[in-house]
Amino acid sequence: MVQPTVAAYTLSRLAALGIEKVFGVPGDYAFSVDDAVETVPELEWVACANELNAAYAADGYARIRGAAILSTTYGVGELSALNGVMGSRAHRLPVFHIVGMPSERIQQLGLITHHNLGDTRYDRFQEISSAACCVSAVLTPDNCIDELERVIREALRQSMPAYIVISEANGLMPVIGRPVRGQPLPRIKRQRSDPTELAAAVGAIAARIAAAQRPVATITSLTKHYGVADKAVKLVAKANIPVALTPNDKGVLDESLAQYIGLYAGAGSHPAAVRDIVENADLILDIGGVMLFELNTGLWSSVLDTSLAVCIHENRVKIGTDVYLNVAIDDVLDALARKVRKRSLPEAPEYGELELTGSADDPTCSANFYPRLQRRLKAGDTLVIETGTCMTHLNGMRLPAGVSAEGQGMWGSIGWATPAAMGVAMAKTSGNTWLVTGDGSHQLTLNEIAVMGRYGIAPRIFVLNNGLYGIEDIISERGHDYDNLAPVKYHLLPEAFGCRNWLCAKVSTVAELETVLVDIESHKGAAYVEVMIPDEESQPLPDDVIDRGYKLRTPR
């Protein structure tokens, strides 16, 4: 039997997880990898506009499929992708970043090449790129099979990116050893539990739940990326425990769930009553590990009493000062679902559709845009939320039944959402992908629209145009020239980028907005709508609120 090359084997082994796309930019030192994509029938190359966009797109794809492949060349390519890979690490996504490196013959001869710093040190970038990942390996024909198993296991166990280096020469050589036949990601068990620790942890959690009078649960995005969100929902539904999400975890569960009460974000909770429910609970069942950063706590307006929390992480449980080790989250959730008893569900705060405002001739604004968008989302759709002012509106909006959402509030790299929406759309097998982005964020990565057109995907994109970095005005002050944007005519871009059968429009009144929303429903291709928003909306927050988030004042 002819052995596959190192590059082909690596790609085939990763494709066995259920990955069907390779996002990247070709580069000479990565040619052995790039060429191998064409020989692996399960994979399709997606030629992104640049490496950063490719990393963002892989991030979006991994959110739907559970893992993704990113391919870049050495030095300039991998460093350009680094911001996107770091975002995947912050949001716990297994993205396999494969980097093509100069041949070891070049290295051994001490030759100086391009994409380097004019010296003969060829491993200098490995330390940098590895910092964005939880595991790394330099693959050779001899170690490829064993090392790749280690890399896959660690990337899935920790649910974080992996860094794989394949030199151009080694990529063309056959692997040595017996290839491994992989399994699809849903069949892989990522962690194994110690029976004694597991029994003790489950018993302690069940006792806490049974004793609680006012319990509340939180479910984080880790559960989704770890493939156990359905188990978390099953547990809270069976126990009938009210559940809240934080902004970082928007869209993790179906928000039509009877136990769902809304968004917890300290002073920024939606509806406002959620804050009291969470902060006055006598037990917080934290499934996945809530991140208590400023956007999840209303700029640290509240500090949750973690002594009352039962925290179920991917491989450990923490209850007060007790820590249970080597307990897999899926095992914990399964055991608890068998053990808990149903309790009466307290009345939830009112939390329905946003109120429709605005008459036909009124200019478009946030108040009349978001309620109309909410009513157009349908089961199976995914809403991609860009960081910025749109995030503050969409996080608090209750999603219709069966609608999911993806955001990047923790890492918060503006521009992420446009390429990520492409990755999401390519990963989905049904339902529509909706993107809401501000014009400032969109300008950073809008060249990926051309790539969307090339591959024939059909997202529904709304660019909110107020001519400035609106979020910057909100968190500082108005009037700075550096917050003003170039006056781009966004609705003309798809045609200029060669996109075919895209419904494009610019709307500035409620009537125009409603018309285009109706037209989108019957249109078979992509939609791209520029929505004019008054810049006066972006008013600075009160000084004390801003200082709560940035803490610049001298304490008194």
Side-chain angles (χ1 to χ4, degrees), residues 417-419 421-423 425-426 433-435 437 442 445-463 489-506 516 519-530:
T418 298
M422 183 182 78
M426 287 184 164
T433 300
W434 300 73
L435 165 64
T437 179
H442 194 51
T445 52
L446 53 77
N447 48 358
E448 209 63 22
I449 296 169
V451 183
M452 296 180 191
R454 173 182 176 178
Y455 290 99
I457 65 168
R460 297 172 172 183
I461 300 172
F462 290 81
V463 181
K489 297 180 180 179
Y490 296 96
H491 64 289
L492 302 179
L493 292 177
E495 182 179 359
F497 281 131
C499 300
R500 298 180 180 179
N501 194 33
W502 280 47
L503 188 162
C504 299
K506 177 181 178 180
V516 80
D519 291 344
I520 285 173
E521 291 302 313
S522 59
H523 184 68
K524 300 300 182 183
Y528 187 95
V529 183
E530 179 181 357

Side-chain angles (χ1 to χ4, degrees), residues 73-242:
T73 195
Y74 167 79
V76 294
E78 62 184 299
L79 297 183
S80 294
L82 196 56
N83 175 28
V85 180
M86 280 287 191
S88 295
R89 176 168 185 145
H91 289 264
R92 305 297 298 271
L93 295 161
V95 172
F96 294 92
H97 184 192
I98 304 175
V99 172
M101 188 178 187
S103 162
E104 284 81 1
R105 303 187 212 282
I106 289 175
Q107 298 179 45
Q108 293 299 322
L109 291 171
L111 302 176
I112 299 175
T113 71
H114 61 288
H115 295 345
N116 208 323
L117 301 184
D119 57 22
T120 58
R121 182 181 168 188
Y122 284 91
D123 63 353
R124 69 170 68 250
F125 305 124
Q126 292 176 24
E127 183 176 347
I128 300 171
S129 292
S130 294
C133 302
C134 70
V135 61
S136 63
V138 179
L139 300 186
T140 68
D142 180 51
N143 74 11
C144 179
I145 294 173
D146 293 337
E147 278 287 85
L148 198 51
E149 293 310 299
R150 178 182 67 86
V151 166
I152 292 172
R153 173 164 170 74
E154 281 304 296
L156 298 182
R157 189 179 73 84
Q158 299 188 50
S159 196
M160 290 185 183
Y163 176 62
I164 299 171
V165 178
I166 303 175
S167 78
E168 190 170 14
N170 278 334
L172 298 171
M173 296 181 184
V175 297
I176 300 170
R178 184 184 295 275
V180 173
R181 183 183 295 275
Q183 288 186 313
L185 187 54
R187 296 184 192 172
I188 297 173
K189 184 164 176 56
R190 304 192 189 194
Q191 301 268 1
R192 294 184 291 269
S193 297
D194 176 271
T196 301
E197 296 272 331
L198 177 63
V202 171
I205 298 170
R208 287 291 188 102
I209 293 174
Q213 299 297 310
R214 302 179 310 280
V216 68
T218 59
I219 299 177
T220 78
S221 57
L222 173 74
T223 64
K224 180 180 178 182
H225 303 156
Y226 219 76
V228 297
D230 58 337
K231 296 179 184 292
V233 170
K234 179 181 177 181
L235 171 60
V236 298
K238 185 178 179 185
N240 235 4
I241 299 174

Side-chain angles (χ1 to χ4, degrees), residues 14 41 58 77 95 114 174 188 199 219 253 257 301 329 370 417 427 439 514:
L14 295 177
V95 172
H114 61 288
I188 297 173
I219 299 177
L253 53 75
L257 185 74
S301 59
I329 189 170
Y370 290 102
D439 49 345
E514 291 182 336

Side-chain angles (χ1 to χ4, degrees), residues 38 254 437:
E38 298 179 346
D254 188 332
T437 179

